[in-house]
């Protein structure tokens, strides 16, 4: 631990909260690929005395959320928006849609831009990873210095060696070479501390410190690794049990919280191969966490010694849950994995049990079973929006502004709340326009009431990453794994580990939350889900012009009617006893569906993620019906009940490409075309469906 614990305690006691403290300095620190239980004050055995001390002198949040991925979390944290609204719904590559451009767009502003406009000095040290332009000669409009930071030292790209990071940058210029004893985590802490010590102006300071630790590769200093030797010889099962017991004792999770089952395909520790190597992987990961905590201590000591600690709002969080990725020998690209070390040795890539991780010439990760332990007690990992992927520790320390010491806050909160909090405490004005362009309003709420133990106004919190979807409304969470996975419903008061799906017991609630998620997705540039390049033109499609189907039939994409670029018509005979899908072809990117919802017939068309939903004004009669409809070449959408017009509307165009999802009659097990909770099985029976084009 950096500095004396007694001196730190005295500094806290001397910093009695004021009724109206002056505008605080703001220090925002983030870990990378860091599990919910990886801090001592959240149940870990890893020694994190500096962060634990900050928690003891402030608050710990137990239901704070990120976005399940590094890039998207950074976009959301920096802008106060959902990541798709900022242009980074996935990674830093352009996927052809506004929510997935891979760069912070010009319809958002960063915390640094807003606070600098309010007189703050702004600085950043660490990982940027919110632009696709990482070359030294390419565009730099999306780099930190151009997005509000007066000073920047760090990496533009997302991952790399800790001993010689790729894209290491000072300001806008790449750094050529580093000292022999360079270790990135230490360098981040030292530079952040230097900025604090040199800041002697009257202006308050905003300092953003996103570490790369403990993201792969498993790189750590030998002494830090040696200090962990033997700690994980008992394996991941024992570790999870011990961490959960501590979490319950600390009040992080309620008494009686169960561990989730071991992930499918993961062995019990007693049955695992290469246990000595497996234990070493976790030892190096823990050493990386220890190094990060030491760097935080270096920064904290600088704040204390410069007299800034008492009136600094210090926040620590993680960008996503523990990472289950196994690095293979075939991994490698110029941006993240070097071919050789600085002294010319070949880098040994891949999780090879014959190679111990840690040194500069290795490139390994700690794998799924240890990630499961990092995320104790939750399900899944980085990438998913079950709790293991999105639950983050949040430590808030501000002696001059928060009276509480060592307390927990159980209010559901999210990254989108950080910007409003900073804006409010800084007395800043959030702009409505910049350079003549409209700026999207903030999505979150200031956390100042929560600091004082008060609740926020009721609201929904939304998630989407790579097709994984969720919404949190009060105690309830609706979540699905993948674009085609069914929605699951959990009561988070009694089931934080998501073990008891209540979707079938609470169908009305599930339907309402699914509809709310769909409306949010359409508003916030989320659709199409996880867009990928359009199918190649030489993909074979069915050449049939007429399809006769009945209830329960399902056709794969290549066997379904080729509706990409074509008008089509249908006739459907059915007995309708209630709501549900009559026919659905496609999903949330491209497709069409005919369904009954709240008694009305809907003809829905999805083109490039944008939905046209034409609904009947009159209720559809129950019992035996015959429907005739068509999508015309000009986008006109019509349905007749017998000879009576029932639905009429117009889409901007017909389907521009063939749907990647197949066709189903009577239900929709894939991605939902319309605003209904898949599979939304029909209450009734489709006797015959004929589609012609």
């Amino acid at each position: 631990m950096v500095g004396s614990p007694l001196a730190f305690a005295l500094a806290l006691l001397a910093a009695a909260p004021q009724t109206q403290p002056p505008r605080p300095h703001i220090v925002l620190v983030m870990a990378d690929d860091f599990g919910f239980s990886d801090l001592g004050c959240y149940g870990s055995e890893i020694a994190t005395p500096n962060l634990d001390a900050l928690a003891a002198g402030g608050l710990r949040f137990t239901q704070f959320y990120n976005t399940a991925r590094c890039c998207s979390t950074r976009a959301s944290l920096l802008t106060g928006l959902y990541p798709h609204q900022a242009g980074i719904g996935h990674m830093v590559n352009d996927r052809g849609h506004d929510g997935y451009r891979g760069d912070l767009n010009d319809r958002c502003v960063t915390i640094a831009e807003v606070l600098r406009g309010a007189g703050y000095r702004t600085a950043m040290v660490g990982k940027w990873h919110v632009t696709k332009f990482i070359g030294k000669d390419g565009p730099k409009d999306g780099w930190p210095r151009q997005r509000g930071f007066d000073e920047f030292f760090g990496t533009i790209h997302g991952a790399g060696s800790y001993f010689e990071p790729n894209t290491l940058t000072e300001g806008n210029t790449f750094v050529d070479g580093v000292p022999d004893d360079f270790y990135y985590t230490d360098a981040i802490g030292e530079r952040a501390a230097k900025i604090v010590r040199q800041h002697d102006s009257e202006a308050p300071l905003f300092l953003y410190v996103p570490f790369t630790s403990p993201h792969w590769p498993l790189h750590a200093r030998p002494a830090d690794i040696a200090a962990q030797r033997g700690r994980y010889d008992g394996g991941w099962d024992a570790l999870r049990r011990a961490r959960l017991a501590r979490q319950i004792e600390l009040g992080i999770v309620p008494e009686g919280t169960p561990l989730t089952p071991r992930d499918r395909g993961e062995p019990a520790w007693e049955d695992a191969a290469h246990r000595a190597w497996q234990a070493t992987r976790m030892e190096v990961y823990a050493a990386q966490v220890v190094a990060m905590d030491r760097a935080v201590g270096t920064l904290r000591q600088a704040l204390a010694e410069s007299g800034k600690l008492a009136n600094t709002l210090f926040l620590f969080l993680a960008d996503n849950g523990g990472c289950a990725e196994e690095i293979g020998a075939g991994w490698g690209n110029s941006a993240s994995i070097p071919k050789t070390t600085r002294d010319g040795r070949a880098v040994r890539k891949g999780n090879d049990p014959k190679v111990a991780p840690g040194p500069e010439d290795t490139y390994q990760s700690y794998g799924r079973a240890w990630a499961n332990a990092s995320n104790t007690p939750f399900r899944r990992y980085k990438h998913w929006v079950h709790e293991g992927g999105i639950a983050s520790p949040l430590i808030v320390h501000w002696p001059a502004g928060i009276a509480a010491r060592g307390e927990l806050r159980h209010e559901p909160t999210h990254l989108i709340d950080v910007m409003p909090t900073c804006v409010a405490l800084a007395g800043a004005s959030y702009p409505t326009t910049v350079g003549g362009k409209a700026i999207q309003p903030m999505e979150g709420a200031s956390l100042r009431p929560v600091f004082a133990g008060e609740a926020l106004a009721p609201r929904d919190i939304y998630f989407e990453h790579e097709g994984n979807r969720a919404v949190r409304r009060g105690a309830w969470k609706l979540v699905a794994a993948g674009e085609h996975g069914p929605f699951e419903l959990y009561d988070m008061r009694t089931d934080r580990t998501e073990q008891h799906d209540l979707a079938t017991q609470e169908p009305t609630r599930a339907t309402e939350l699914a509809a709310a998620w769909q409306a949010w997705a359409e508003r916030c540039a989320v659709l199409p889900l996880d867009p990928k390049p359009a199918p190649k033109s030489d993909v074979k499609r069915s050449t049939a012009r007429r399809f006769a189907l009945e209830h329960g039939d399902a056709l794969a994409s290549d066997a379904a009617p080729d509706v990409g670029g074509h008008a089509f018509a249908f006739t459907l005979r059915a007995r309708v006893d209630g709501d549900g899908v009559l026919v659905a072809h496609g999903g949330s990117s491209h497709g069409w569906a005919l369904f009954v919802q709240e008694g009305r017939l809907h003809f829905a068309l999805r083109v490039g993620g944008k939905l046209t939903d034409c609904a009947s004004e009159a209720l559809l009669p129950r019992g035996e019906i015959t429907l005739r409809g068509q999508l015309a070449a000009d986008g006109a959408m019509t349905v007749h009940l017998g000879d009576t017009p029932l639905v009429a509307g117009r889409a901007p165009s017909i389907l521009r490409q063939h749907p990647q999802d197949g066709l189903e009659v009577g239900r929709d097990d894939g991605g939902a075309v319309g605003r209904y909770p898949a599979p939304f099985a029909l209450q009734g029976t489709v006797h015959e469906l004929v589609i012609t084009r």
Side-chain angles (χ1 to χ4, degrees):
M1 179 172 176
V2 176
S4 163
L6 176 60
F8 183 49
L10 291 173
L12 293 181
L13 291 172
Q18 304 170 22
T19 304
Q20 290 184 328
R23 295 194 301 169
H25 304 291
I26 299 173
V27 175
L28 179 55
V29 178
M30 183 159 62
D32 197 347
D33 282 12
F34 187 77
F36 181 75
S37 69
D38 278 334
L39 287 177
C41 56
Y42 278 80
S44 179
E45 72 297 331
I46 302 174
T48 55
N50 293 289
L51 285 161
D52 293 352
L54 289 164
L59 304 172
R60 281 167 295 161
F61 283 55
T62 65
Q63 299 192 61
F64 182 79
Y65 289 116
N66 52 46
T67 72
R69 175 74 69 176
C70 42
C71 307
S72 53
T73 280
R74 284 162 172 74
S76 186
L77 177 66
L78 284 166
T79 66
L81 303 173
Y82 287 107
H84 313 77
Q85 294 173 293
I88 307 181
H90 183 254
M91 296 287 283
V92 286
N93 59 336
D94 192 336
R95 296 190 164 211
H97 296 272
D98 286 348
Y100 302 89
R101 294 297 181 185
D103 264 297
L104 293 180
N105 59 38
D106 58 4
R107 299 182 302 282
C108 67
V109 288
T110 68
I111 299 177
E113 289 169 326
V114 174
L115 266 56
R116 185 163 68 177
Y120 273 68
R121 176 73 179 172
T122 61
M124 175 184 166
V125 184
K127 169 178 168 176
W128 184 236
H129 209 199
V130 285
T131 179
K132 59 180 174 284
F133 297 109
I134 63 173
K136 65 179 180 179
D137 298 322
K140 296 181 173 61
D141 294 347
W143 286 28
R145 291 282 284 108
Q146 286 65 247
R147 292 308 307 240
F149 288 97
D150 297 314
E151 182 176 348
F152 169 64
F153 174 79
T155 42
I156 302 299
H157 190 62
S161 170
Y162 283 74
F163 298 101
E164 189 178 27
N166 188 277
T167 73
L168 186 63
T169 301
E170 179 87 48
N172 283 324
T173 304
F174 279 2
V175 174
D176 292 327
V178 294
D180 290 342
D181 63 348
F182 184 91
Y183 183 68
Y184 192 27
T185 305
D186 292 345
I188 290 173
E190 290 160 4
R191 175 58 71 92
K194 181 179 179 181
I195 290 171
V196 167
R197 288 193 171 97
Q198 291 181 343
H199 181 78
D200 57 4
S201 86
E202 293 297 318
L205 174 67
F206 170 65
L207 177 59
Y208 174 42
V209 188
F211 287 95
T212 55
S213 181
H215 193 294
W216 50 255
L218 295 173
H219 281 172
R221 293 191 183 277
D224 289 336
I225 299 172
Q228 305 301 316
R229 291 297 184 208
R231 185 180 293 271
Y232 298 101
D233 290 352
W236 42 68
D237 295 322
L239 185 66
R240 293 181 74 214
R241 291 192 295 268
R243 286 193 177 189
L244 176 59
R246 283 192 290 272
Q247 289 176 323
I248 292 172
E249 181 182 355
L250 291 168
I252 301 296
V253 296
E255 184 77 34
T257 297
L259 277 176
T260 54
R262 191 183 303 110
D263 198 19
R264 183 175 57 187
E266 286 301 312
W269 176 253
E270 291 76 13
D271 300 326
H274 312 295
R275 288 198 296 272
W277 172 74
Q278 292 282 13
T280 300
R281 290 209 285 177
M282 188 62 194
E283 290 168 359
V284 180
Y285 177 88
Q288 290 177 295
V289 174
V290 166
M292 180 181 64
D293 181 77
R294 182 173 61 233
V296 169
T298 300
L299 171 57
R300 176 181 60 78
Q301 184 173 358
L303 288 165
E305 291 175 353
S306 63
K308 298 181 179 72
L309 183 62
N311 196 34
T312 292
L313 175 67
F314 191 110
L315 301 101
F316 173 87
L317 58 128
D319 65 350
N320 47 249
C323 176
E325 295 167 355
E326 291 278 3
I327 293 179
W331 276 44
N333 60 67
S334 59
S336 64
I337 305 182
K339 294 180 180 179
T340 62
T341 63
R342 290 169 291 177
D343 57 6
R345 289 172 294 151
V347 173
R348 296 172 289 173
K349 296 178 295 187
N351 287 336
D352 183 351
K354 297 187 294 294
V355 176
E360 182 178 356
D361 67 340
T362 65
Y363 215 94
Q364 297 190 357
S365 62
Y366 75 157
R368 187 165 57 179
W370 291 121
N372 196 18
S374 281
N375 296 335
T376 301
F378 302 132
R379 292 173 60 187
R380 300 190 184 268
Y381 326 90
K382 169 183 178 178
H383 157 83
W384 283 277
V385 296
H386 287 76
E387 294 291 284
I390 59 175
S392 167
L394 174 64
I395 295 171
V396 180
H397 180 270
W398 182 23
I402 299 175
R405 299 288 185 268
E407 294 185 4
L408 301 175
R409 296 290 183 263
H410 302 294
E411 181 82 8
T413 48
H414 188 275
L415 294 162
I416 56 174
D417 301 325
V418 175
M419 168 77 94
T421 304
C422 293
V423 169
L425 296 179
S429 296
Y430 185 87
T432 57
T433 61
V434 172
K437 289 188 176 291
I439 299 299
Q440 300 164 94
M442 294 181 287
E443 291 283 336
S446 171
L447 296 176
R448 188 69 187 271
V450 186
F451 296 168
E454 301 170 10
L456 297 175
R459 55 154 179 188
D460 294 348
I461 301 173
Y462 295 97
F463 307 86
E464 188 283 328
H465 185 64
E466 295 184 335
N468 301 304
R469 299 153 286 147
V471 54
R472 178 76 191 262
R473 176 179 290 175
W476 294 92
K477 180 181 176 185
L478 191 76
V479 59
E483 180 179 354
H484 307 301
F487 273 121
E488 307 156 11
L489 180 67
Y490 299 103
D491 183 344
M492 305 302 277
R493 292 167 298 192
T494 58
D495 189 18
R496 183 82 191 278
T497 53
E498 300 168 306
Q499 299 296 290
H500 305 288
D501 180 8
L502 302 177
T504 57
Q505 299 175 39
E506 296 265 0
T508 301
R509 192 185 304 275
T511 299
E512 289 175 353
L513 289 172
W517 185 92
Q518 188 70 30
W520 166 80
E522 293 172 11
R523 177 177 69 84
C524 291
V526 174
L527 304 175
L529 294 181
D530 191 21
K532 296 178 175 65
K536 296 180 180 179
S537 59
D538 60 354
V539 174
K540 293 182 179 180
R541 302 289 179 212
S542 173
T543 59
R545 303 294 294 272
R546 184 180 186 277
F547 293 77
L549 305 163
E550 61 184 22
H551 199 99
D553 282 348
L555 300 176
S557 178
D558 60 355
D562 185 4
V563 293
H566 299 292
F568 62 89
F570 59 84
T571 301
L572 182 144
R573 292 190 304 104
R575 189 191 78 251
V576 175
D577 300 324
D579 290 353
V581 169
L582 294 160
V583 56
H585 182 190
S588 61
S589 298
H590 301 275
W592 69 279
L594 196 69
F595 59 97
V596 184
Q597 194 167 45
E598 295 183 354
R600 288 178 168 79
L601 181 69
H602 292 249
F603 186 6
L605 188 75
R606 182 83 66 172
V607 181
K610 297 187 183 301
L611 176 66
T612 301
D613 187 345
C614 303
S616 63
E617 292 187 8
L619 298 178
L620 185 70
R622 299 290 179 92
E624 299 292 335
I625 61 167
T626 298
L627 302 173
R628 293 183 297 104
Q630 70 168 349
L631 172 65
D634 63 356
M637 303 166 65
T638 57
V639 182
H640 286 68
L641 175 63
D643 295 325
T644 304
L646 188 62
V647 174
R650 186 179 299 276
S653 71
I654 58 176
L655 286 160
R656 294 194 294 265
Q657 67 184 59
H658 186 76
Q660 295 185 41
D661 285 14
L663 180 148
E664 287 187 279
V665 182
R667 60 189 290 119
D668 183 3
D669 286 304
V673 177
R675 296 191 186 99
Y676 52 79
F680 203 38
L682 177 68
Q683 299 175 49
T685 303
V686 177
H687 304 309
E688 181 183 47
L689 169 65
V690 176
I691 302 172
T692 57
R693 68 166 186 85

